[in-house]
Amino acid sequence: MIVGKQNNNPSKGFTMPDNTTASAPPPVDARVASTGGGGPTAEQLALRRRFPTAQDLRARARKRLPNFAFEYVDGGAGGADNGIARNWDAFGSIEMMPRYGNVVRPPPTDITLFGKPYSAPIGIAPIGGPGTGFPGAETYMAKAAQAAKIPYTLGVLSAITMERAMEIAPDVAWLQLYRFSNDEHRIGLDLVRRAGEAGINALVLTWDTPVRTTRPREVKSGIMSPFKLNMKLRMDALSSPHWFLSMMKNGIPRWLNLRPYMDGNVGLEEAAAFMRREQGGAFTWDEIARYRDAWKGPLVIKGVLHPADAERLVSLGIDGIFVTNHGGRQIEALPASVDALPAIASAVGGKAALIVDSGVRSGVDVARALALGADAAFAGKAFLWSLGALGGEGPAHMIDLFKAELSATLGQLGCRTVEELRDVKRRHPGAWSPEDFTG
């Protein structure tokens, strides 16, 4: 059965064929999706040999980053990172049945999402304070995404402004917002205004942070709330020339999007106090409707796992939904994001684009997500690992790995296009079914 087939409205996702039994198109042409028309460069091949997977980048990052930086980007909720492991295991359990005889060249990976062309159904997920993991992260990721033509979601808690992000990545930059509800959402709605004036391509509201939670690995590494750059963290930073030199080049990460609302004082401790005072809670249904009215571009809600919530969001005119458990970083008891996807795809029925986030580490994972009804799959940790391993060159290499493996996976499954993944037969043992939500 095909789960979550999309309609033909390009503003809601990529276009899918109406008749899955139609005659097959001819074999794909000679386009090589991973390089935009030509073979991989010598530099790409060298990096592929040294770091052929995201896990290789993770191992390298662990060696090169300060302990607090690696624990920040790699850890999750709970003492054993069970939520992260559940995400990974869920993807690994999904099998897809190949068909042979039609594909003779690496298939293309390009899609249209919210009416805009992208080179692949792959994106960089919003990350809060990525500069803690590697200073300059936002700039490096934005440049790589623009060059590769994949979506880049700038978190509002970033060391570059949305305006600067649009200068770097005008074709692909999205913006993520948390809830700033004081004074009738004065700050939140002004951020929306600025996003519109800057030309941001899509706005993402994070919904799955109703309360603050503890991430034990961060706490053990010395990262405290409220944040203080104590002596332990300073000595840890000095132990990593890789991280420290990038900090000297790019500066100590500050939340520059919020500078206008902080009287220009974006010091670390002052910023932490500002967030405790001004930000918190999850957007209510009425507030989502209010932001829908205020924002005229594509609006995406991040943090949906229940199909009834997805249906109600569609009724409010939401254009896209991030199916995610926040990377296993909020509470370890949540379902794996990809296990929640089929029921949501069935409920939404193509009326909004679906983006899977949490646990995506490879092009095969991207293919699995799309076969189950997603329009795209975004990753966060994989890109942070790439920075920790390779510095500014890392995100471009991670994108290359994703695209090359996705194209190879399409070919191995017998798919001539990304859209044909919906026709792939698969087994998904951990999936939540619509029946799980009845009664």
Side-chain angles (χ1 to χ4, degrees), residues 33-309:
S34 63
T35 58
T41 66
E43 292 79 8
Q44 285 175 317
L45 288 173
L47 283 174
R48 287 184 194 180
R49 285 191 290 267
R50 293 185 62 200
F51 305 103
T53 71
Q55 289 298 88
D56 295 308
L57 294 169
R58 181 186 183 225
R60 175 72 166 169
R62 185 189 294 273
K63 295 177 180 178
R64 301 195 76 190
L65 289 175
N67 181 61
F68 75 82
F70 183 78
E71 296 298 272
Y72 180 77
V73 305
D74 194 71
D81 286 342
N82 289 329
I84 294 174
R86 185 176 298 113
N87 284 327
W88 294 353
D89 291 344
F91 269 110
S93 72
I94 298 165
E95 301 172 347
M96 297 181 289
M97 183 62 69
R99 299 296 301 273
Y100 299 114
N102 292 315
V103 175
V104 297
R105 295 288 188 274
T109 61
D110 52 292
I111 64 162
T112 298
L113 188 61
F114 303 129
K116 292 184 66 69
Y118 294 101
S119 70
I122 299 159
I124 301 177
I127 303 164
T132 301
F134 194 77
E138 299 92 340
T139 296
Y140 297 131
M141 290 190 290
K143 287 181 177 179
Q146 176 66 23
K149 294 298 186 289
I150 68 163
Y152 167 60
T153 316
L154 179 77
V156 68
L157 304 182
S158 287
I160 62 172
T161 65
M162 68 182 85
E163 292 83 4
R164 176 57 180 153
M166 283 300 294
E167 292 175 2
I168 299 170
D171 300 314
V172 301
W174 300 9
L175 178 69
Q176 171 270 339
L177 296 183
Y178 290 113
R179 179 176 181 266
F180 294 89
S181 61
N182 289 352
D183 300 326
E184 289 296 309
H185 292 262
R186 176 182 64 88
I187 293 173
L189 291 175
D190 192 62
L191 288 164
V192 172
R193 175 193 63 78
R194 287 171 53 194
E197 292 179 355
I200 288 291
N201 295 284
L203 186 68
V204 179
L205 304 183
T206 291
W207 202 29
D208 57 354
T209 54
V211 296
R212 302 183 189 277
T213 60
T214 299
R215 295 162 189 164
R217 287 172 60 184
E218 290 182 19
V219 174
K220 292 177 182 178
S221 75
I223 297 176
M224 302 179 297
S225 181
F227 182 82
K228 291 184 179 180
L229 190 59
N230 56 34
M231 185 56 65
K232 179 180 180 179
L233 296 183
R234 293 175 190 269
M235 295 303 294
D236 198 4
L238 289 172
S239 72
S240 169
H242 176 59
W243 188 96
F244 188 77
L245 288 174
S246 192
M247 188 271 288
M248 293 297 292
K249 176 181 179 181
N250 295 285
I252 296 174
R254 314 285 189 181
W255 296 339
L256 297 186
N257 275 311
L258 301 179
R259 185 195 294 271
Y261 319 111
M262 297 173 60
D263 297 325
N265 188 348
V266 289
L268 298 180
E269 295 185 25
E270 291 80 7
F274 173 86
M275 288 295 290
R276 292 197 305 276
R277 184 172 66 250
E278 298 289 345
Q279 186 275 324
F283 289 95
T284 67
W285 291 104
D286 288 343
E287 290 168 347
I288 290 172
R290 184 176 182 183
Y291 278 72
R292 172 69 285 180
D293 290 341
W295 174 253
K296 304 309 178 185
L299 183 62
V300 184
I301 304 300
K302 180 178 181 289
V304 182
L305 292 172
H306 198 294
D309 291 339

Side-chain angles (χ1 to χ4, degrees), residues 205-208 285 288 300-313 318 320-326 335-338 340-341 344 348 354-357:
L205 304 183
T206 291
W207 202 29
D208 57 354
W285 291 104
I288 290 172
V300 184
I301 304 300
K302 180 178 181 289
V304 182
L305 292 172
H306 198 294
D309 291 339
E311 285 187 280
R312 187 170 178 182
L313 289 169
I318 298 305
I321 292 170
F322 264 93
V323 181
T324 174
N325 62 19
H326 212 94
S337 301
V338 74
L341 172 62
I344 290 178
V348 169
L354 299 181
I355 300 169
V356 168
D357 160 278

